[in-house]
Coordinates of all heavy atoms in Angstrom, one line a residue:
M1 N 198.6 -79.7 -6.8 CA 198.0 -80.3 -5.7 C 196.5 -80.3 -5.9 O 196.0 -79.2 -6.1 CB 198.5 -79.7 -4.4 CG 198.9 -80.6 -3.4 SD 199.7 -79.9 -2.0 CE 198.7 -78.6 -1.5
G2 N 195.8 -81.4 -5.7 CA 194.3 -81.3 -5.7 C 193.8 -82.7 -5.2 O 194.5 -83.6 -4.7
N3 N 192.4 -82.8 -5.4 CA 191.7 -83.9 -4.9 C 191.1 -84.7 -6.2 O 190.6 -84.0 -7.0 CB 190.6 -83.6 -4.0 CG 191.2 -83.1 -2.6 OD1 191.5 -81.9 -2.6 ND2 191.4 -83.9 -1.7
L4 N 191.2 -86.0 -6.2 CA 190.5 -86.7 -7.3 C 189.0 -86.6 -7.3 O 188.4 -86.7 -6.3 CB 190.9 -88.3 -7.1 CG 192.2 -88.7 -7.9 CD1 193.4 -88.2 -7.3 CD2 192.1 -90.2 -8.1
G5 N 188.5 -86.4 -8.5 CA 187.2 -86.3 -8.6 C 186.4 -87.6 -8.9 O 185.2 -87.7 -8.8
N6 N 187.1 -88.6 -9.2 CA 186.6 -89.9 -9.5 C 187.7 -90.9 -9.3 O 188.9 -90.6 -9.3 CB 186.0 -90.0 -10.8 CG 187.0 -89.6 -12.0 OD1 188.1 -89.3 -11.7 ND2 186.6 -89.6 -13.2
D7 N 187.3 -92.2 -9.2 CA 188.2 -93.3 -9.2 C 189.0 -93.4 -10.5 O 188.4 -93.1 -11.6 CB 187.6 -94.7 -8.9 CG 187.2 -94.8 -7.5 OD1 187.8 -94.1 -6.5 OD2 186.3 -95.5 -7.1
P8 N 190.3 -93.6 -10.5 CA 191.0 -93.7 -11.8 C 190.5 -94.8 -12.7 O 190.1 -95.8 -12.1 CB 192.5 -94.0 -11.3 CG 192.5 -93.6 -9.9 CD 191.1 -93.8 -9.3
E9 N 190.6 -94.6 -14.0 CA 190.4 -95.6 -15.0 C 191.7 -96.1 -15.4 O 192.6 -95.4 -15.7 CB 189.6 -95.1 -16.2 CG 188.3 -94.5 -15.9 CD 187.6 -93.9 -17.0 OE1 188.1 -94.1 -18.2 OE2 186.6 -93.1 -16.8
S10 N 191.9 -97.5 -15.3 CA 193.2 -98.0 -15.7 C 193.1 -99.3 -16.4 O 192.1 -99.9 -16.4 CB 194.1 -98.2 -14.4 OG 193.4 -99.1 -13.5
G11 N 194.2 -99.5 -17.1 CA 194.3 -100.8 -17.9 C 195.6 -100.9 -18.6 O 196.4 -100.0 -18.6
N12 N 195.8 -102.1 -19.3 CA 197.0 -102.3 -20.1 C 196.7 -102.1 -21.5 O 195.7 -102.6 -22.0 CB 197.5 -103.7 -19.8 CG 198.0 -103.9 -18.4 OD1 199.0 -103.1 -18.0 ND2 197.5 -104.7 -17.6
L13 N 197.6 -101.5 -22.2 CA 197.5 -101.4 -23.6 C 198.0 -102.7 -24.3 O 198.6 -103.5 -23.7 CB 198.3 -100.2 -24.2 CG 197.9 -98.8 -23.6 CD1 198.9 -97.8 -24.1 CD2 196.4 -98.5 -23.8
E14 N 197.8 -102.8 -25.6 CA 198.2 -104.0 -26.4 C 199.8 -104.2 -26.2 O 200.2 -105.3 -26.2 CB 197.9 -103.9 -27.8 CG 196.3 -104.0 -28.1 CD 196.0 -103.9 -29.5 OE1 196.9 -104.0 -30.4 OE2 194.7 -103.8 -29.8
S15 N 200.4 -103.1 -26.1 CA 201.9 -103.2 -26.0 C 202.3 -103.7 -24.6 O 203.5 -104.0 -24.4 CB 202.5 -101.8 -26.2 OG 202.1 -100.9 -25.1
G16 N 201.3 -103.8 -23.7 CA 201.6 -104.3 -22.3 C 201.8 -103.1 -21.3 O 202.0 -103.4 -20.1
K17 N 202.0 -101.9 -21.9 CA 202.2 -100.7 -21.0 C 200.9 -100.4 -20.3 O 199.9 -100.4 -20.9 CB 202.7 -99.6 -21.8 CG 203.3 -98.5 -21.0 CD 204.1 -97.4 -21.9 CE 204.9 -96.5 -21.1 NZ 205.7 -95.6 -21.9
M18 N 201.0 -100.0 -19.0 CA 199.9 -99.7 -18.2 C 199.6 -98.2 -18.3 O 200.5 -97.3 -18.4 CB 200.1 -100.0 -16.7 CG 198.9 -99.7 -15.8 SD 198.9 -100.8 -14.4 CE 197.2 -100.9 -14.2
L19 N 198.3 -97.9 -18.3 CA 197.8 -96.6 -18.4 C 196.8 -96.2 -17.2 O 195.9 -97.1 -17.1 CB 197.2 -96.4 -19.8 CG 196.3 -95.1 -20.0 CD1 197.2 -93.8 -20.0 CD2 195.6 -95.2 -21.3
A20 N 196.8 -95.1 -16.7 CA 195.7 -94.7 -15.7 C 195.3 -93.3 -16.0 O 196.2 -92.4 -16.3 CB 196.2 -94.9 -14.3
K21 N 194.0 -93.0 -15.9 CA 193.5 -91.7 -16.2 C 192.6 -91.3 -15.1 O 191.9 -92.1 -14.5 CB 192.8 -91.6 -17.6 CG 193.6 -91.8 -18.7 CD 192.7 -91.5 -20.0 CE 193.5 -91.6 -21.2 NZ 192.7 -91.2 -22.4
F22 N 192.7 -90.0 -14.7 CA 191.8 -89.5 -13.7 C 191.7 -88.0 -13.8 O 192.4 -87.3 -14.5 CB 192.1 -90.0 -12.2 CG 193.6 -89.5 -11.8 CD1 193.8 -88.3 -11.3 CD2 194.6 -90.4 -12.1 CE1 195.1 -88.0 -10.9 CE2 195.9 -90.1 -11.8 CZ 196.1 -88.9 -11.1
S23 N 190.8 -87.3 -13.0 CA 190.8 -85.9 -13.0 C 191.0 -85.4 -11.5 O 190.6 -86.1 -10.5 CB 189.5 -85.4 -13.5 OG 188.3 -85.8 -12.7
I24 N 191.6 -84.3 -11.4 CA 191.8 -83.6 -10.1 C 191.2 -82.2 -10.0 O 191.3 -81.6 -11.2 CB 193.3 -83.6 -9.6 CG1 194.1 -82.8 -10.5 CG2 193.9 -85.0 -9.5 CD1 195.6 -82.5 -9.9
A25 N 190.7 -81.8 -8.9 CA 190.3 -80.5 -8.7 C 191.3 -79.7 -7.9 O 191.7 -80.2 -6.9 CB 188.9 -80.6 -8.0
T26 N 191.6 -78.5 -8.4 CA 192.4 -77.6 -7.6 C 191.6 -76.3 -7.3 O 190.7 -75.9 -8.0 CB 193.7 -77.2 -8.4 OG1 193.2 -76.5 -9.7 CG2 194.6 -78.3 -8.8
N27 N 191.8 -75.8 -6.1 CA 191.1 -74.8 -5.6 C 192.0 -73.5 -5.4 O 193.1 -73.7 -4.9 CB 190.3 -75.1 -4.2 CG 189.3 -76.2 -4.4 OD1 188.5 -76.1 -5.4 ND2 189.4 -77.1 -3.6
E28 N 191.4 -72.4 -5.7 CA 192.1 -71.0 -5.4 C 191.1 -70.2 -4.7 O 190.0 -70.0 -5.2 CB 192.5 -70.4 -6.7 CG 193.3 -69.1 -6.5 CD 193.7 -68.4 -7.9 OE1 193.4 -68.9 -8.9 OE2 194.2 -67.3 -7.7
S29 N 191.5 -69.6 -3.6 CA 190.6 -68.8 -2.8 C 191.1 -67.3 -2.8 O 192.3 -67.1 -2.9 CB 190.4 -69.3 -1.4 OG 189.9 -70.5 -1.4
Y30 N 190.2 -66.4 -2.9 CA 190.5 -65.0 -2.9 C 189.3 -64.2 -2.4 O 188.2 -64.8 -2.3 CB 190.9 -64.5 -4.3 CG 189.9 -64.6 -5.4 CD1 188.9 -63.7 -5.7 CD2 189.7 -65.9 -6.1 CE1 187.9 -63.8 -6.5 CE2 188.7 -66.0 -7.0 CZ 187.8 -65.0 -7.3 OH 186.8 -65.1 -8.2
K31 N 189.5 -62.9 -2.1 CA 188.3 -62.1 -1.7 C 188.0 -61.1 -2.8 O 188.8 -60.6 -3.5 CB 188.8 -61.2 -0.5 CG 189.0 -62.1 0.8 CD 189.1 -61.2 2.0 CE 189.1 -62.3 3.2 NZ 189.2 -61.5 4.5
N32 N 186.7 -61.1 -3.1 CA 186.1 -60.3 -4.2 C 186.1 -58.8 -3.8 O 186.5 -58.5 -2.6 CB 184.8 -60.8 -4.7 CG 183.7 -60.7 -3.6 OD1 183.8 -60.0 -2.6 ND2 182.6 -61.5 -4.0
A33 N 185.5 -58.0 -4.6 CA 185.5 -56.6 -4.3 C 184.7 -56.2 -3.1 O 184.9 -55.2 -2.4 CB 185.0 -55.8 -5.5
Q34 N 183.7 -57.1 -2.7 CA 182.8 -56.9 -1.6 C 183.5 -57.5 -0.3 O 182.9 -57.4 0.8 CB 181.5 -57.5 -1.8 CG 180.6 -56.9 -2.9 CD 181.1 -57.2 -4.3 OE1 181.6 -58.3 -4.5 NE2 180.9 -56.2 -5.2
G35 N 184.7 -58.1 -0.4 CA 185.4 -58.6 0.7 C 185.0 -60.0 1.1 O 185.4 -60.6 2.1
E36 N 184.1 -60.7 0.2 CA 183.7 -62.1 0.5 C 184.7 -63.0 -0.1 O 185.3 -62.8 -1.1 CB 182.3 -62.2 -0.3 CG 181.3 -61.3 0.2 CD 180.1 -61.3 -0.8 OE1 180.3 -61.5 -2.0 OE2 179.0 -61.0 -0.3
K37 N 184.9 -64.1 0.6 CA 185.8 -65.1 0.2 C 185.1 -65.9 -1.1 O 184.0 -66.3 -0.9 CB 186.1 -66.1 1.3 CG 187.1 -67.2 0.9 CD 187.4 -68.2 2.1 CE 188.3 -69.3 1.6 NZ 188.5 -70.3 2.7
V38 N 185.9 -66.1 -2.1 CA 185.4 -66.8 -3.3 C 186.4 -67.9 -3.6 O 187.6 -67.7 -3.5 CB 185.3 -65.9 -4.5 CG1 184.9 -66.6 -5.8 CG2 184.4 -64.7 -4.2
T39 N 185.9 -69.1 -3.8 CA 186.7 -70.3 -4.2 C 186.5 -70.6 -5.6 O 185.3 -70.8 -6.1 CB 186.5 -71.4 -3.2 OG1 186.7 -71.1 -1.9 CG2 187.4 -72.7 -3.6
D40 N 187.6 -70.7 -6.3 CA 187.5 -71.0 -7.8 C 188.1 -72.4 -7.9 O 189.2 -72.6 -7.6 CB 188.3 -70.0 -8.6 CG 188.2 -70.3 -10.2 OD1 187.2 -70.8 -10.6 OD2 189.3 -70.1 -10.8
T41 N 187.2 -73.3 -8.5 CA 187.7 -74.7 -8.7 C 188.0 -75.0 -10.1 O 187.1 -74.7 -10.9 CB 186.6 -75.8 -8.1 OG1 186.4 -75.5 -6.7 CG2 187.1 -77.1 -8.3
Q42 N 189.1 -75.5 -10.5 CA 189.5 -75.9 -11.8 C 189.7 -77.4 -11.8 O 190.3 -78.0 -10.9 CB 190.8 -75.2 -12.2 CG 190.8 -73.7 -12.2 CD 189.9 -73.2 -13.4 OE1 190.0 -73.7 -14.5 NE2 189.1 -72.1 -13.2
W43 N 189.3 -78.1 -12.9 CA 189.5 -79.5 -13.1 C 190.5 -79.7 -14.2 O 190.6 -79.1 -15.1 CB 188.1 -80.1 -13.5 CG 187.2 -80.2 -12.5 CD1 186.2 -79.2 -12.1 CD2 187.1 -81.2 -11.5 NE1 185.5 -79.5 -11.0 CE2 186.0 -80.8 -10.6 CE3 187.7 -82.3 -11.2 CZ2 185.6 -81.6 -9.5 CZ3 187.3 -83.1 -10.1 CH2 186.3 -82.7 -9.3
H44 N 191.3 -80.7 -13.9 CA 192.5 -81.1 -14.7 C 192.5 -82.6 -15.0 O 192.3 -83.4 -14.0 CB 193.8 -80.7 -14.0 CG 193.8 -79.3 -13.5 ND1 194.1 -78.2 -14.2 CD2 193.5 -78.9 -12.2 CE1 194.0 -77.1 -13.5 NE2 193.7 -77.5 -12.2
N45 N 192.7 -82.9 -16.3 CA 192.7 -84.3 -16.6 C 194.3 -84.8 -16.5 O 195.1 -84.2 -17.0 CB 192.3 -84.6 -18.1 CG 190.7 -84.2 -18.2 OD1 190.0 -84.6 -17.3 ND2 190.4 -83.6 -19.3
V46 N 194.4 -86.0 -15.9 CA 195.8 -86.5 -15.6 C 195.9 -87.8 -16.3 O 195.0 -88.7 -16.1 CB 196.1 -86.6 -14.1 CG1 197.5 -87.1 -13.9 CG2 195.9 -85.2 -13.5
V47 N 197.1 -88.1 -16.9 CA 197.4 -89.4 -17.5 C 198.7 -89.9 -16.9 O 199.7 -89.2 -16.8 CB 197.5 -89.3 -19.1 CG1 197.9 -90.6 -19.6 CG2 196.3 -88.8 -19.6
D48 N 198.7 -91.2 -16.4 CA 199.8 -91.8 -15.9 C 200.2 -93.0 -16.7 O 199.3 -93.7 -17.1 CB 199.6 -92.2 -14.4 CG 199.3 -91.0 -13.5 OD1 200.4 -90.4 -13.0 OD2 198.2 -90.8 -13.2
W49 N 201.5 -93.3 -16.8 CA 202.0 -94.4 -17.6 C 202.9 -95.2 -16.7 O 203.4 -94.8 -15.8 CB 202.8 -94.0 -18.8 CG 202.0 -93.2 -19.9 CD1 201.8 -91.9 -19.9 CD2 201.2 -93.8 -20.9 NE1 201.1 -91.6 -21.0 CE2 200.6 -92.7 -21.6 CE3 200.9 -95.0 -21.3 CZ2 199.8 -92.9 -22.7 CZ3 200.1 -95.3 -22.4 CH2 199.5 -94.2 -23.1
G50 N 203.0 -96.6 -17.0 CA 204.0 -97.4 -16.4 C 203.8 -97.7 -15.0 O 202.7 -97.9 -14.4
K51 N 204.9 -97.5 -14.2 CA 205.0 -97.7 -12.8 C 204.1 -96.7 -12.0 O 203.4 -97.1 -11.1 CB 206.4 -97.6 -12.3 CG 207.3 -98.7 -12.7 CD 206.9 -100.1 -12.0 CE 208.0 -101.1 -12.4 NZ 207.5 -102.4 -11.9
T52 N 204.1 -95.5 -12.5 CA 203.2 -94.5 -11.8 C 201.7 -94.9 -12.0 O 200.9 -94.8 -11.0 CB 203.4 -93.1 -12.4 OG1 204.7 -92.8 -12.5 CG2 202.7 -92.1 -11.7
A53 N 201.3 -95.4 -13.1 CA 200.0 -95.9 -13.3 C 199.6 -97.1 -12.4 O 198.5 -97.2 -11.9 CB 199.7 -96.3 -14.9
E54 N 200.7 -97.9 -12.2 CA 200.4 -99.1 -11.3 C 200.2 -98.6 -9.9 O 199.3 -99.1 -9.2 CB 201.6 -100.0 -11.3 CG 201.9 -100.8 -12.6 CD 203.1 -101.6 -12.7 OE1 203.7 -102.0 -11.6 OE2 203.5 -101.9 -13.8
I55 N 200.9 -97.6 -9.4 CA 200.7 -97.1 -8.1 C 199.3 -96.4 -8.0 O 198.6 -96.6 -7.0 CB 201.8 -96.0 -7.8 CG1 203.2 -96.7 -7.6 CG2 201.4 -95.2 -6.6 CD1 204.4 -95.8 -7.6
V56 N 198.9 -95.6 -9.0 CA 197.6 -95.1 -9.1 C 196.5 -96.1 -8.9 O 195.6 -96.0 -8.2 CB 197.5 -94.1 -10.4 CG1 196.0 -93.8 -10.5 CG2 198.3 -93.0 -10.3
E57 N 196.7 -97.1 -9.7 CA 195.7 -98.2 -9.8 C 195.5 -98.9 -8.3 O 194.4 -99.1 -7.9 CB 196.0 -99.3 -10.7 CG 194.9 -100.4 -10.8 CD 195.3 -101.5 -11.7 OE1 196.5 -102.0 -11.6 OE2 194.5 -101.9 -12.5
K58 N 196.6 -99.1 -7.6 CA 196.6 -99.7 -6.3 C 196.2 -98.8 -5.2 O 195.5 -99.2 -4.2 CB 197.9 -100.3 -6.0 CG 198.3 -101.5 -6.9 CD 199.7 -102.0 -6.5 CE 200.1 -103.2 -7.4 NZ 201.5 -103.6 -7.1
Y59 N 196.6 -97.5 -5.1 CA 196.5 -96.7 -3.9 C 195.6 -95.4 -4.0 O 195.4 -94.8 -3.0 CB 197.9 -96.4 -3.5 CG 198.8 -97.5 -3.2 CD1 199.8 -97.8 -4.1 CD2 198.6 -98.4 -2.1 CE1 200.7 -98.9 -3.8 CE2 199.3 -99.4 -1.9 CZ 200.5 -99.7 -2.7 OH 201.2 -100.8 -2.4
V60 N 195.3 -95.0 -5.3 CA 194.6 -93.7 -5.4 C 193.1 -93.9 -5.7 O 192.8 -94.7 -6.6 CB 195.3 -92.9 -6.5 CG1 194.6 -91.5 -6.7 CG2 196.8 -92.7 -6.2
T61 N 192.3 -93.2 -4.9 CA 190.8 -93.4 -5.1 C 190.2 -91.9 -5.1 O 190.8 -91.0 -4.6 CB 190.2 -94.2 -3.9 OG1 190.6 -93.6 -2.7 CG2 190.8 -95.7 -4.0
K62 N 189.0 -91.9 -5.4 CA 188.1 -90.7 -5.4 C 188.3 -90.0 -4.1 O 188.2 -90.6 -3.0 CB 186.6 -91.0 -5.7 CG 185.8 -89.8 -5.7 CD 184.4 -90.1 -5.9 CE 183.5 -88.9 -5.9 NZ 182.1 -89.2 -6.3
G63 N 188.5 -88.6 -4.2 CA 188.6 -87.8 -2.9 C 190.1 -87.7 -2.4 O 190.4 -86.8 -1.6
K64 N 190.9 -88.6 -2.7 CA 192.3 -88.6 -2.3 C 193.0 -87.3 -2.7 O 192.9 -86.8 -3.8 CB 193.1 -89.9 -2.9 CG 194.4 -90.0 -2.4 CD 194.5 -90.8 -1.1 CE 195.9 -91.1 -0.8 NZ 195.9 -91.6 0.6
E65 N 193.7 -86.7 -1.7 CA 194.5 -85.5 -2.0 C 195.9 -86.0 -2.5 O 196.6 -86.8 -1.9 CB 194.7 -84.7 -0.8 CG 195.4 -83.5 -1.1 CD 195.5 -82.5 0.1 OE1 195.5 -83.0 1.3 OE2 195.9 -81.3 -0.1
I66 N 196.3 -85.5 -3.7 CA 197.6 -85.8 -4.3 C 198.3 -84.6 -4.8 O 197.7 -83.6 -5.0 CB 197.5 -86.9 -5.4 CG1 196.6 -86.3 -6.6 CG2 196.9 -88.2 -4.9 CD1 196.7 -87.1 -7.9
A67 N 199.6 -84.7 -5.0 CA 200.4 -83.7 -5.7 C 201.0 -84.4 -6.9 O 201.5 -85.5 -6.8 CB 201.5 -83.1 -4.8
I68 N 201.0 -83.7 -8.0 CA 201.6 -84.3 -9.2 C 202.5 -83.3 -9.9 O 202.4 -82.1 -9.7 CB 200.5 -84.8 -10.2 CG1 199.7 -83.6 -10.7 CG2 199.7 -85.9 -9.7 CD1 198.8 -83.8 -11.9
E69 N 203.5 -83.9 -10.6 CA 204.4 -83.1 -11.4 C 204.4 -83.7 -12.7 O 204.5 -85.0 -12.9 CB 205.8 -83.1 -10.9 CG 206.8 -82.2 -11.6 CD 208.1 -82.2 -11.0 OE1 208.2 -81.9 -9.8 OE2 209.1 -82.5 -11.7
G70 N 204.3 -82.9 -13.8 CA 204.3 -83.5 -15.2 C 204.3 -82.4 -16.2 O 204.7 -81.3 -16.0
R71 N 204.0 -82.8 -17.4 CA 204.0 -81.8 -18.5 C 202.6 -81.8 -19.1 O 201.8 -82.7 -19.1 CB 205.0 -82.2 -19.5 CG 204.8 -83.6 -20.2 CD 205.9 -84.0 -21.2 NE 205.9 -85.4 -21.5 CZ 205.2 -85.9 -22.4 NH1 204.2 -85.1 -23.1 NH2 205.1 -87.2 -22.7
L72 N 202.3 -80.6 -19.7 CA 201.0 -80.5 -20.4 C 201.1 -80.9 -21.8 O 202.1 -80.7 -22.4 CB 200.6 -79.0 -20.4 CG 200.3 -78.4 -19.0 CD1 200.0 -76.8 -19.1 CD2 199.1 -79.1 -18.3
T73 N 200.0 -81.6 -22.2 CA 199.9 -82.0 -23.6 C 198.6 -81.6 -24.1 O 197.6 -81.8 -23.3 CB 200.2 -83.5 -23.9 OG1 199.2 -84.3 -23.1 CG2 201.5 -84.0 -23.4
T74 N 198.4 -81.2 -25.4 CA 197.2 -80.8 -25.9 C 197.0 -81.7 -27.1 O 197.8 -81.8 -28.0 CB 197.2 -79.4 -26.4 OG1 197.4 -78.6 -25.2 CG2 195.8 -78.9 -27.0
N75 N 195.7 -82.3 -27.2 CA 195.4 -83.1 -28.4 C 194.2 -82.4 -29.1 O 193.3 -81.8 -28.6 CB 194.9 -84.5 -27.9 CG 196.0 -85.2 -27.1 OD1 197.1 -85.4 -27.6 ND2 195.7 -85.6 -25.9
A76 N 194.2 -82.6 -30.4 CA 193.2 -82.0 -31.2 C 192.5 -83.1 -32.1 O 193.2 -84.1 -32.4 CB 193.8 -80.9 -32.2
W77 N 191.2 -82.9 -32.3 CA 190.5 -83.8 -33.2 C 189.3 -83.1 -33.7 O 188.9 -82.0 -33.3 CB 190.0 -85.1 -32.3 CG 189.0 -84.8 -31.4 CD1 187.6 -85.0 -31.6 CD2 189.0 -84.3 -30.1 NE1 186.9 -84.6 -30.5 CE2 187.7 -84.2 -29.5 CE3 190.1 -84.0 -29.3 CZ2 187.5 -83.8 -28.3 CZ3 189.8 -83.6 -28.0 CH2 188.6 -83.4 -27.5
D78 N 188.6 -83.7 -34.7 CA 187.4 -83.1 -35.4 C 186.2 -83.9 -34.8 O 186.2 -85.1 -34.8 CB 187.5 -83.2 -36.9 CG 188.6 -82.4 -37.5 OD1 188.9 -81.3 -37.0 OD2 189.2 -82.8 -38.4
D79 N 185.2 -83.1 -34.4 CA 184.0 -83.8 -33.8 C 183.1 -84.2 -35.0 O 183.4 -84.0 -36.2 CB 183.2 -82.9 -32.8 CG 182.7 -81.6 -33.4 OD1 182.6 -81.5 -34.7 OD2 182.3 -80.8 -32.6
K80 N 181.9 -84.8 -34.7 CA 181.0 -85.2 -35.8 C 180.6 -84.2 -36.8 O 180.3 -84.4 -37.9 CB 179.8 -85.8 -35.1 CG 180.0 -87.1 -34.3 CD 178.7 -87.6 -33.7 CE 179.1 -88.8 -32.7 NZ 177.9 -89.1 -32.0
E81 N 180.5 -82.9 -36.2 CA 180.2 -81.8 -37.1 C 181.3 -81.2 -37.9 O 181.1 -80.2 -38.6 CB 179.4 -80.7 -36.3 CG 178.0 -81.1 -35.7 CD 178.1 -82.0 -34.5 OE1 179.0 -81.7 -33.7 OE2 177.3 -82.9 -34.4
G82 N 182.4 -81.7 -37.7 CA 183.7 -81.2 -38.3 C 184.4 -80.1 -37.7 O 185.2 -79.5 -38.2
N83 N 183.9 -79.7 -36.4 CA 184.6 -78.7 -35.6 C 185.8 -79.2 -35.0 O 185.8 -80.3 -34.5 CB 183.6 -78.2 -34.5 CG 182.3 -77.6 -35.1 OD1 182.4 -76.8 -36.0 ND2 181.2 -78.0 -34.6
K84 N 186.8 -78.4 -34.9 CA 188.1 -78.7 -34.3 C 187.9 -78.7 -32.8 O 187.4 -77.6 -32.3 CB 189.2 -77.8 -34.8 CG 190.6 -78.2 -34.4 CD 191.0 -79.4 -35.2 CE 192.2 -79.2 -36.0 NZ 192.6 -80.4 -36.6
R85 N 188.2 -79.7 -32.1 CA 188.2 -79.7 -30.6 C 189.5 -80.0 -30.0 O 190.4 -80.6 -30.7 CB 187.2 -80.9 -30.2 CG 185.8 -80.7 -30.7 CD 185.1 -79.7 -29.9 NE 183.7 -79.6 -30.4 CZ 182.9 -78.6 -29.9 NH1 183.3 -77.8 -29.1 NH2 181.7 -78.6 -30.4
Y86 N 189.7 -79.5 -28.8 CA 191.1 -79.7 -28.2 C 190.8 -80.2 -26.7 O 189.8 -79.8 -26.1 CB 191.7 -78.4 -28.1 CG 192.1 -77.8 -29.4 CD1 191.1 -76.9 -30.0 CD2 193.2 -78.1 -30.1 CE1 191.4 -76.3 -31.3 CE2 193.5 -77.5 -31.4 CZ 192.6 -76.7 -31.9 OH 192.8 -76.1 -33.1
T87 N 191.8 -80.9 -26.2 CA 191.8 -81.3 -24.8 C 193.2 -81.2 -24.3 O 194.1 -81.6 -25.0 CB 191.2 -82.7 -24.6 OG1 191.1 -82.9 -23.2 CG2 192.0 -83.9 -25.2
T88 N 193.3 -80.7 -23.1 CA 194.6 -80.6 -22.5 C 194.8 -81.5 -21.4 O 193.8 -81.6 -20.5 CB 195.0 -79.1 -22.1 OG1 194.9 -78.3 -23.2 CG2 196.3 -79.1 -21.5
E89 N 195.8 -82.3 -21.2 CA 196.1 -83.2 -20.1 C 197.4 -83.0 -19.5 O 198.3 -82.5 -20.1 CB 196.0 -84.7 -20.7 CG 194.7 -85.2 -21.3 CD 194.8 -86.5 -22.0 OE1 195.9 -86.8 -22.5 OE2 193.8 -87.2 -21.8
I90 N 197.5 -83.4 -18.3 CA 198.8 -83.4 -17.6 C 199.3 -84.8 -17.7 O 198.7 -85.8 -17.2 CB 198.7 -83.0 -16.1 CG1 198.0 -81.6 -16.0 CG2 200.0 -83.1 -15.4 CD1 197.6 -81.2 -14.6
V91 N 200.4 -85.1 -18.3 CA 201.1 -86.4 -18.3 C 202.1 -86.4 -17.1 O 203.0 -85.7 -17.0 CB 201.9 -86.6 -19.6 CG1 202.7 -87.9 -19.6 CG2 201.0 -86.4 -20.8
C92 N 201.7 -87.2 -16.1 CA 202.3 -87.2 -14.8 C 203.7 -87.9 -14.9 O 203.8 -89.0 -15.4 CB 201.4 -88.0 -13.8 SG 202.0 -88.0 -12.1
N93 N 204.7 -87.2 -14.3 CA 206.1 -87.8 -14.2 C 206.2 -88.3 -12.7 O 206.9 -89.3 -12.5 CB 207.2 -86.7 -14.5 CG 207.1 -86.3 -15.9 OD1 206.7 -87.0 -16.8 ND2 207.4 -85.0 -16.1
E94 N 205.7 -87.5 -11.8 CA 205.9 -87.8 -10.3 C 204.5 -87.7 -9.6 O 203.8 -86.7 -9.9 CB 206.9 -87.0 -9.7 CG 208.3 -87.3 -10.1 CD 209.3 -86.7 -9.3 OE1 209.2 -86.6 -8.2 OE2 210.4 -86.3 -9.9
L95 N 204.3 -88.5 -8.6 CA 203.0 -88.5 -7.8 C 203.3 -88.6 -6.4 O 204.2 -89.4 -6.0 CB 202.1 -89.7 -8.3 CG 200.9 -89.9 -7.5 CD1 199.7 -89.2 -8.2 CD2 200.6 -91.3 -7.4
L96 N 202.7 -87.8 -5.5 CA 202.9 -87.7 -4.1 C 201.5 -87.9 -3.5 O 200.7 -87.0 -3.8 CB 203.6 -86.5 -3.7 CG 203.9 -86.3 -2.2 CD1 204.8 -87.4 -1.7 CD2 204.5 -85.0 -1.9
M97 N 201.2 -88.9 -2.7 CA 200.0 -89.0 -2.0 C 200.1 -88.3 -0.7 O 201.0 -88.5 0.1 CB 199.7 -90.6 -1.8 CG 199.5 -91.3 -3.1 SD 199.2 -93.0 -2.9 CE 200.9 -93.6 -2.8
L98 N 199.0 -87.5 -0.5 CA 199.0 -86.6 0.7 C 197.7 -87.0 1.5 O 196.8 -87.7 1.0 CB 198.8 -85.1 0.3 CG 199.9 -84.6 -0.7 CD1 199.5 -83.3 -1.2 CD2 201.2 -84.6 0.0
G99 N 197.6 -86.6 2.7 CA 196.4 -86.8 3.5 C 196.3 -88.2 3.9 O 197.0 -89.1 3.7
N100 N 195.1 -88.5 4.7 CA 194.8 -89.8 5.2 C 193.6 -90.5 4.5 O 193.1 -91.5 4.9 CB 194.6 -89.8 6.7 CG 195.9 -89.3 7.4 OD1 196.9 -89.8 7.0 ND2 195.7 -88.6 8.4
K101 N 193.0 -89.9 3.5 CA 191.8 -90.4 2.9 C 192.1 -91.7 2.2 O 193.1 -91.9 1.6 CB 191.2 -89.4 1.9 CG 190.6 -88.1 2.7 CD 190.0 -87.2 1.7 CE 189.4 -86.0 2.4 NZ 188.8 -85.1 1.5

């Protein structure tokens, strides 16, 4: 569960299949050793395909609170300097729109 950090980027691939990508922020709050409340924000990249991507394109915008269920995928590539880079994304299976934003 989190809030969108930007409007989704969406489009159709050459195959005709729809794709939507966006990032969500999740927050975890806890008290540190001094008793002060600390909020830790983590950002997650999300990829939606097909009908879910169509829903995202029509109804999901920056700031919207959503809940997603999916699987983690990690992609690897070499950058310009030849260093191995990795990115992890959530491939969304289900999406639930929350709140009134």
Side-chain angles (χ1 to χ4, degrees):
M1 227 168 52
N3 295 83
L4 265 73
N6 54 359
D7 286 333
E9 296 175 18
S10 60
N12 289 303
L13 302 179
E14 289 181 17
S15 64
K17 196 168 192 178
M18 181 155 217
L19 167 70
K21 291 184 172 188
F22 57 90
S23 60
I24 62 170
T26 57
N27 296 312
E28 179 182 2
S29 296
Y30 60 92
K31 290 192 178 183
N32 64 16
Q34 292 76 32
E36 302 164 329
K37 182 180 176 183
V38 177
T39 300
D40 180 34
T41 301
Q42 297 287 320
W43 287 93
H44 312 278
N45 295 319
V46 182
V47 178
D48 294 280
W49 295 95
K51 293 288 185 190
T52 307
E54 291 175 22
I55 291 167
V56 167
E57 182 183 48
K58 289 180 184 177
Y59 303 108
V60 179
T61 56
K62 179 179 179 176
K64 182 87 174 165
E65 184 179 18
I66 63 169
I68 60 169
E69 182 178 308
R71 61 184 165 80
L72 293 175
T73 60
T74 301
N75 300 306
W77 73 94
D78 295 323
D79 66 14
K80 293 177 187 175
E81 291 80 38
N83 298 313
K84 195 65 124 175
R85 300 289 182 179
Y86 300 91
T87 185
T88 300
E89 301 173 321
I90 302 168
V91 178
C92 181
N93 297 330
E94 292 193 36
L95 173 94
L96 179 63
M97 292 178 280
L98 307 169
N100 295 327
K101 290 184 180 180

